[in-house]
Amino acid sequence: MEKLKKYLLFLFLLENVAAQTRLMGGISTYFFYAFLVLGAMFILQRDLWKSETMSTYWPLYVMGGIYVLYEFTFGQSTISTQTLVYLIAKLTTFAIIVVSVDNNFKFYERNMLYGLSVFICFFVLYGMLTGGLEHSHSTRMLVGFGNANSTSGMGAFVLGAMLFITEKWNLKSLLITGIGLYAVLAGGSRASIMVVAILMFIKYGFSPKMVLVVAAIVFAAVYILPAIGLNTVGVERFLHTVDGTEGSNRDNEREACWVMIREKPWNGWGFEAQNQGIALEMSELGSHNGYLETLKFMGYPCGGAWLGILVLSILVIFKRYHKLGIARDMFVGIVLAFAVNAYFEGLFVGVHEFATNVFFVCLAVAYKKAALYEKGYLFKENNK
């Protein structure tokens, strides 16, 4: 059980990555439910209900409590097998995160990002070597993943992680970083390019080093990748966005979500609700906006409270890090970057989604790190 407590979360994240690939996506559901069964055991563990643990990871406990409150009060009329499974999956995921991070903090703070990056690169390379360069509905590439947004999102995670964790650059770290950059540009997601920009700013600020890193990335994207036959669409889409010739392409989806919210502003439509009625005529897709989807699911009272706790938790951790003098940190960077990205992607609401779960994992690691600094278990770092 002790080994399970320490590493179940890491295995769960690996499964989340595999679930979005073309190689393993079809069989991942079985593994997902197996993880939920194992994770449900954590809910019964005394570790999860210690006052110290609850005070350390309070955002996850409060957000989980809001889910429960909504389901059995405002959302009572929406209760179904689907919503109950969703609720259990969310609570179990939070339990896995808290127990694993608390029992194996050094691993998740020092080794998790690199391990996930290498795992993601394996699927990118597999896609490239096995003909996985197929285009989706446009010139955007899949490169082994189920859709182009997943490809770019995974690449952004790898690129950002390597910029933070690499102390001395060598051939291996450059290769991993290059694969991440290629995935970002091959998928062509402008939101993922924005995530990389935010992480770079948090890492380097406005400094000469920042200019050099940006210049190196642009040079590689414009000259090196095409020269070796790895053409991408990301740079072109980004430039077209800047000059106004290409829009967000999500206006209909967001307006459809607003229609749903206005129709049930107080009770919401329930967890994992799909568009109905007029909204369905406008779009069959979700809004690609985690904030709007949360309000659609739970309405203004509970959905608004949940989002309020989310924003508060981000502000609190920034304030604590500043007060403690903790150096620029990848975990806080991911929390901020993904919170911004949630305006363009449906983060927060998924249960079997890598980006959503990584967001909450990084939030948990950041809070645990701040708690250890406050207790004197970790020495203060110098800002870099």
Side-chain angles (χ1 to χ4, degrees):
M1 177 59 77
E2 293 304 313
K3 287 287 186 181
L4 195 63
K5 289 180 181 179
K6 290 182 177 181
Y7 296 107
L8 184 62
L9 173 59
F10 184 63
L11 295 175
F12 182 55
L13 292 175
L14 294 179
E15 186 277 334
N16 286 179
V17 172
Q20 294 180 234
T21 67
R22 305 180 70 187
L23 176 65
M24 298 185 64
I27 62 174
S28 63
T29 301
Y30 302 105
F31 292 102
F32 174 67
Y33 284 114
F35 277 109
L36 291 186
V37 171
L38 293 172
M41 298 166 55
F42 287 179
I43 297 178
L44 304 176
Q45 291 291 310
R46 187 175 300 176
D47 296 11
L48 188 67
W49 303 107
K50 291 180 179 178
S51 59
E52 182 179 358
T53 305
M54 296 176 70
S55 63
T56 299
Y57 306 98
W58 65 265
L60 298 186
Y61 286 88
V62 176
M63 286 187 279
I66 293 174
Y67 285 135
V68 175
L69 175 67
Y70 168 76
E71 181 76 343
F72 298 105
T73 55
F74 291 92
Q76 188 174 7
S77 62
T78 71
I79 292 178
S80 65
T81 301
Q82 176 179 306
T83 63
L84 290 174
V85 170
Y86 179 94
L87 176 63
I88 293 170
K90 273 294 189 183
L91 297 179
T92 301
T93 299
F94 283 178
I96 293 173
I97 292 172
V98 169
V99 172
S100 288
V101 171
D102 205 58
N103 280 273
N104 201 8
F105 171 74
K106 287 185 178 180
F107 173 80
Y108 291 100
E109 198 264 339
R110 298 179 183 178
N111 305 113
M112 176 188 69
L113 298 177
Y114 182 78
L116 289 173
S117 297
V118 171
F119 191 67
I120 290 169
C121 286
F122 165 79
F123 288 105
V124 175
L125 289 174
Y126 176 85
M128 295 169 63
L129 296 174
T130 58
L133 296 175
E134 298 97 330
H135 294 28
S136 53
H137 55 82
S138 65
T139 56
R140 300 171 65 187
M141 296 180 178
L142 302 177
V143 197
F145 288 92
N147 63 67
N149 285 335
S150 293
T151 301
S152 281
M154 294 295 181
F157 176 86
V158 172
L159 180 55
M162 294 306 296
L163 290 177
F164 270 86
I165 65 180
T166 302
E167 296 181 358
K168 293 184 179 180
W169 291 94
N170 53 38
L171 182 60
K172 182 167 64 173
S173 58
L174 287 171
L175 177 62
I176 295 173
T177 304
I179 293 172
L181 173 61
Y182 174 69
V184 171
L185 299 176
S189 168
R190 291 161 294 179
S192 295
I193 294 175
M194 177 197 65
V195 166
V196 173
I198 293 173
L199 291 175
M200 289 174 59
F201 172 74
I202 291 175
K203 171 66 176 178
Y204 301 111
F206 289 114
S207 66
K209 185 179 289 188
M210 171 72 165
V211 175
L212 289 175
V213 172
V214 171
I217 290 176
V218 171
F219 181 81
V222 175
Y223 295 105
I224 296 179
L225 292 179
I228 60 177
L230 299 177
N231 295 312
T232 65
V233 71
V235 173
E236 182 180 351
R237 292 190 80 223
F238 181 77
L239 293 176
H240 286 172
T241 301
V242 173
D243 64 25
T245 57
E246 185 170 354
S248 66
N249 303 321
R250 300 298 182 193
D251 294 339
N252 287 341
E253 285 74 21
R254 289 175 185 167
E255 183 55 36
C257 190
W258 275 118
V259 168
M260 295 283 285
I261 294 170
R262 287 193 290 265
E263 288 181 353
K264 285 192 175 183
W266 303 110
N267 294 339
W269 290 85
F271 299 131
E272 294 193 307
Q274 303 298 309
N275 287 352
Q276 302 178 31
I278 297 175
L280 182 59
E281 295 176 5
M282 299 174 65
S283 175
E284 297 180 0
L285 303 176
S287 65
H288 284 75
N289 184 310
Y291 299 96
L292 293 183
E293 290 295 315
T294 299
L295 294 177
K296 180 175 80 173
F297 285 5
M298 295 192 286
Y300 284 118
C302 290
W306 193 95
L307 293 175
I309 293 299
L310 177 77
V311 173
L312 177 64
S313 66
I314 296 173
L315 294 176
V316 168
I317 197 59
F318 264 93
K319 183 177 180 180
R320 290 174 72 185
Y321 266 49
H322 178 73
K323 180 180 179 181
L324 293 166
I326 301 177
R328 294 183 177 93
D329 184 90
M330 175 67 178
F331 299 99
V332 174
I334 288 179
V335 167
L336 176 61
F338 281 26
V340 175
N341 192 31
Y343 183 78
F344 304 98
E345 300 290 346
L347 304 185
F348 309 146
V349 294
V351 292
H352 196 196
E353 182 181 63
F354 176 74
T356 292
N357 291 331
V358 159
F359 172 86
F360 291 116
V361 171
C362 290
L363 188 66
V365 171
Y367 268 82
K368 179 65 174 180
K369 188 172 182 177
L372 291 175
Y373 267 79
E374 288 170 341
K375 294 175 182 177
Y377 294 132
L378 293 176
F379 293 105
K380 291 184 178 181
E381 303 170 272
N382 293 320
N383 284 308
K384 299 178 181 180

Short mmCIF file of all heavy atoms in Angstrom, two decimals, residues 140-163:
data_model
loop_
_atom_site.label_atom_id
_atom_site.label_comp_id
_atom_site.label_asym_id
_atom_site.label_seq_id
_atom_site.Cartn_x
_atom_site.Cartn_y
_atom_site.Cartn_z
N ARG A 140 -3.02 21.07 -39.84
CA ARG A 140 -2.47 20.76 -38.52
C ARG A 140 -2.21 19.26 -38.39
O ARG A 140 -2.99 18.44 -38.84
CB ARG A 140 -3.42 21.24 -37.43
CG ARG A 140 -3.68 22.74 -37.49
CD ARG A 140 -4.78 23.15 -36.54
NE ARG A 140 -4.39 22.92 -35.16
CZ ARG A 140 -5.21 23.06 -34.12
NH1 ARG A 140 -6.48 23.40 -34.33
NH2 ARG A 140 -4.80 22.85 -32.90
N MET A 141 -1.10 18.91 -37.74
CA MET A 141 -0.67 17.51 -37.68
C MET A 141 -1.05 16.86 -36.35
O MET A 141 -1.13 17.52 -35.32
CB MET A 141 0.84 17.43 -37.90
CG MET A 141 1.28 17.88 -39.26
SD MET A 141 3.07 17.77 -39.45
CE MET A 141 3.24 18.31 -41.15
N LEU A 142 -1.24 15.53 -36.41
CA LEU A 142 -1.60 14.77 -35.22
C LEU A 142 -0.37 14.21 -34.52
O LEU A 142 -0.31 14.17 -33.29
CB LEU A 142 -2.55 13.63 -35.60
CG LEU A 142 -3.85 14.06 -36.28
CD1 LEU A 142 -4.66 12.83 -36.67
CD2 LEU A 142 -4.66 14.97 -35.38
N VAL A 143 0.59 13.71 -35.28
CA VAL A 143 1.85 13.17 -34.75
C VAL A 143 1.61 12.19 -33.60
O VAL A 143 2.17 12.33 -32.52
CB VAL A 143 2.81 14.29 -34.30
CG1 VAL A 143 4.23 13.74 -34.15
CG2 VAL A 143 2.82 15.44 -35.29
N GLY A 144 0.76 11.23 -33.83
CA GLY A 144 0.58 10.17 -32.86
C GLY A 144 -0.51 10.40 -31.84
O GLY A 144 -0.87 9.47 -31.10
N PHE A 145 -1.07 11.60 -31.75
CA PHE A 145 -2.12 11.88 -30.78
C PHE A 145 -3.48 11.94 -31.47
O PHE A 145 -3.58 11.96 -32.70
CB PHE A 145 -1.83 13.18 -30.03
CG PHE A 145 -0.70 13.05 -29.05
CD1 PHE A 145 0.60 13.33 -29.45
CD2 PHE A 145 -0.92 12.62 -27.76
CE1 PHE A 145 1.66 13.19 -28.56
CE2 PHE A 145 0.13 12.46 -26.86
CZ PHE A 145 1.42 12.75 -27.26
N GLY A 146 -4.53 11.96 -30.68
CA GLY A 146 -5.88 11.86 -31.22
C GLY A 146 -6.35 13.11 -31.93
O GLY A 146 -7.18 13.03 -32.84
N ASN A 147 -5.88 14.28 -31.50
CA ASN A 147 -6.23 15.51 -32.20
C ASN A 147 -5.07 16.49 -32.10
O ASN A 147 -4.17 16.33 -31.26
CB ASN A 147 -7.54 16.13 -31.67
CG ASN A 147 -7.44 16.54 -30.22
OD1 ASN A 147 -6.70 17.47 -29.87
ND2 ASN A 147 -8.18 15.87 -29.34
N ALA A 148 -5.11 17.51 -32.93
CA ALA A 148 -3.99 18.45 -33.03
C ALA A 148 -3.81 19.27 -31.75
O ALA A 148 -2.67 19.61 -31.39
CB ALA A 148 -4.20 19.37 -34.22
N ASN A 149 -4.90 19.59 -31.05
CA ASN A 149 -4.77 20.34 -29.81
C ASN A 149 -4.01 19.54 -28.75
O ASN A 149 -3.21 20.09 -27.99
CB ASN A 149 -6.15 20.73 -29.27
CG ASN A 149 -6.77 21.87 -30.05
OD1 ASN A 149 -6.07 22.67 -30.67
ND2 ASN A 149 -8.08 21.94 -30.06
N SER A 150 -4.27 18.22 -28.70
CA SER A 150 -3.53 17.36 -27.77
C SER A 150 -2.05 17.35 -28.12
O SER A 150 -1.19 17.40 -27.24
CB SER A 150 -4.09 15.94 -27.80
OG SER A 150 -5.40 15.89 -27.28
N THR A 151 -1.75 17.26 -29.41
CA THR A 151 -0.36 17.26 -29.86
C THR A 151 0.37 18.51 -29.38
O THR A 151 1.45 18.45 -28.78
CB THR A 151 -0.29 17.19 -31.39
OG1 THR A 151 -0.94 16.00 -31.84
CG2 THR A 151 1.15 17.17 -31.87
N SER A 152 -0.23 19.67 -29.61
CA SER A 152 0.39 20.93 -29.20
C SER A 152 0.46 21.06 -27.69
O SER A 152 1.46 21.53 -27.14
CB SER A 152 -0.39 22.12 -29.78
OG SER A 152 -0.06 22.33 -31.12
N GLY A 153 -0.61 20.66 -27.02
CA GLY A 153 -0.63 20.77 -25.56
C GLY A 153 0.45 19.93 -24.91
O GLY A 153 1.12 20.37 -23.96
N MET A 154 0.62 18.70 -25.40
CA MET A 154 1.68 17.84 -24.86
C MET A 154 3.05 18.45 -25.13
O MET A 154 3.94 18.45 -24.28
CB MET A 154 1.59 16.45 -25.50
CG MET A 154 0.34 15.67 -25.14
SD MET A 154 0.27 15.26 -23.37
CE MET A 154 -1.28 14.35 -23.34
N GLY A 155 3.23 18.98 -26.34
CA GLY A 155 4.50 19.61 -26.68
C GLY A 155 4.80 20.81 -25.80
O GLY A 155 5.94 21.02 -25.39
N ALA A 156 3.77 21.61 -25.49
CA ALA A 156 3.96 22.78 -24.64
C ALA A 156 4.39 22.36 -23.24
O ALA A 156 5.26 23.00 -22.62
CB ALA A 156 2.65 23.59 -24.57
N PHE A 157 3.80 21.28 -22.74
CA PHE A 157 4.20 20.77 -21.43
C PHE A 157 5.67 20.36 -21.44
O PHE A 157 6.43 20.72 -20.53
CB PHE A 157 3.32 19.59 -21.04
CG PHE A 157 3.72 18.94 -19.74
CD1 PHE A 157 3.24 19.43 -18.54
CD2 PHE A 157 4.58 17.86 -19.72
CE1 PHE A 157 3.62 18.84 -17.33
CE2 PHE A 157 4.96 17.26 -18.53
CZ PHE A 157 4.47 17.76 -17.33
N VAL A 158 6.08 19.61 -22.46
CA VAL A 158 7.47 19.15 -22.55
C VAL A 158 8.43 20.32 -22.66
O VAL A 158 9.44 20.39 -21.93
CB VAL A 158 7.64 18.20 -23.75
CG1 VAL A 158 9.12 17.87 -23.98
CG2 VAL A 158 6.84 16.92 -23.56
N LEU A 159 8.13 21.25 -23.55
CA LEU A 159 9.02 22.39 -23.77
C LEU A 159 9.14 23.22 -22.50
O LEU A 159 10.25 23.60 -22.08
CB LEU A 159 8.48 23.24 -24.92
CG LEU A 159 9.29 24.49 -25.31
CD1 LEU A 159 10.73 24.14 -25.62
CD2 LEU A 159 8.64 25.17 -26.52
N GLY A 160 8.02 23.51 -21.86
CA GLY A 160 8.05 24.30 -20.63
C GLY A 160 8.80 23.59 -19.52
O GLY A 160 9.60 24.20 -18.80
N ALA A 161 8.54 22.29 -19.37
CA ALA A 161 9.19 21.53 -18.30
C ALA A 161 10.71 21.53 -18.48
O ALA A 161 11.46 21.73 -17.52
CB ALA A 161 8.67 20.09 -18.28
N MET A 162 11.17 21.32 -19.71
CA MET A 162 12.61 21.26 -19.95
C MET A 162 13.28 22.61 -19.71
O MET A 162 14.42 22.66 -19.23
CB MET A 162 12.88 20.77 -21.37
CG MET A 162 12.45 19.33 -21.63
SD MET A 162 13.15 18.14 -20.45
CE MET A 162 14.90 18.29 -20.81
N LEU A 163 12.60 23.69 -20.02
CA LEU A 163 13.18 25.01 -19.76
C LEU A 163 13.38 25.25 -18.27
O LEU A 163 14.31 25.94 -17.85
CB LEU A 163 12.28 26.11 -20.35
CG LEU A 163 12.23 26.21 -21.88
CD1 LEU A 163 11.25 27.29 -22.31
CD2 LEU A 163 13.61 26.50 -22.46
#
